[in-house]
Amino acid sequence: MTLLDGISSRRIATARLNVNLLERLGDRPDGIPVVLVHGNISSALFWQELMLRLQAGYRPIAVDLRGFGDTDPEPVDATRGLADFSDDLAATLDALELPAAHLVGWSMGGGVVLQYALDRPVLSLTLQAPVSPYGFGGTAGPDGRRLTDDDAGCGGGGVNPDFVARLKAGDRTAEAPTSPLNVYRAAYVHAGYSSPLEDLWLESMLSTRTGEDHYPGDAMPSGNWPGFAAGKRGIANAMAPGHFNVSAIVDLPVKPDVLWVRGDADAIVSDASFFDTNQLGKAGVIAGWPGEEAAPPQPMVAQTRAVLEEYAARGGTSREVVLPNCGHSPHLEYPAEFLAELTAHIEAASDDGN
């Protein structure tokens, strides 16, 4: 595991599993706790630059989720949605003796911290390019209406098998569109972005465990188009709408302040995502698409906005920040802008008494 100067790692025992953490050298235990939760096909390594940029007085902690990085590769029970991950996070904070923290979740990690907030108190929430509160795929409209009872077109069956094979093999080449490096370049960041740390981000992606208990998970046959449905194991299935729905955050009696940061060129989480099976069908990439009424693309951004608007209407505070010419990774692509928004958000939440 490659660490930048000023970052350390350690594995800690929790009540659920052994968890790997990244921390900043020299931070005080009483610093403002900022817990960073990565997304799918990544690890805590992606947070290192942000950790180093946070000013003194903060205590950034980046966590490897199960099946990623150096945390124990325990299986993922997809029928619990993302609760395996959020429960692991809770056990980690307990082991660190942190009753609450400012949580930052990226992509799938955004869903993890929202699930966490449903179960335990938090100081604030920052959602970076988060998965929709209604999961990934298989829903329609801003209200997240579920399209089929079996979540057809969702989960492990929709993941490109060549990409999975290249992940498993540790492929570091750019020889195919499905290589992890090319997926990073095409989907994680905006066109034209480059970084001298690209090899480190690739290392992070390649730490992903593959298989039916991890990424992508299993799949089930379906009588609905496109012929497969969400399974019960693994990461991709954990975000299927029948397993994952955190829209109940609008009902929290105590509502932490929410910051939502996204790029306007996000290829993964958008209202026309090419990682959404129904969008691929509409575009003719997958044959036999039954049409807009039966299988509309998921309006991921509109769904998040609708939930957060309702959250605010019920007494919470939320703010949306859209970065132009930005892809799925604002903290990498526009680090100064992301850092400014994050610290202002945490300071405002602290002023509110959180």
Side-chain angles (χ1 to χ4, degrees), residues 266 268-273 276 279 297-303 305:
D266 192 334
I268 297 175
V269 175
S270 77
D271 288 350
S273 170
D276 177 4
Q279 176 64 34
Q298 180 188 14
M300 303 177 188
V301 172
Q303 289 175 352
R305 184 177 295 117

Side-chain angles (χ1 to χ4, degrees), residues 22-33:
L22 300 188
E23 296 169 295
R24 192 168 59 176
L25 294 172
D27 279 345
R28 294 172 53 89
D30 61 353
I32 299 169

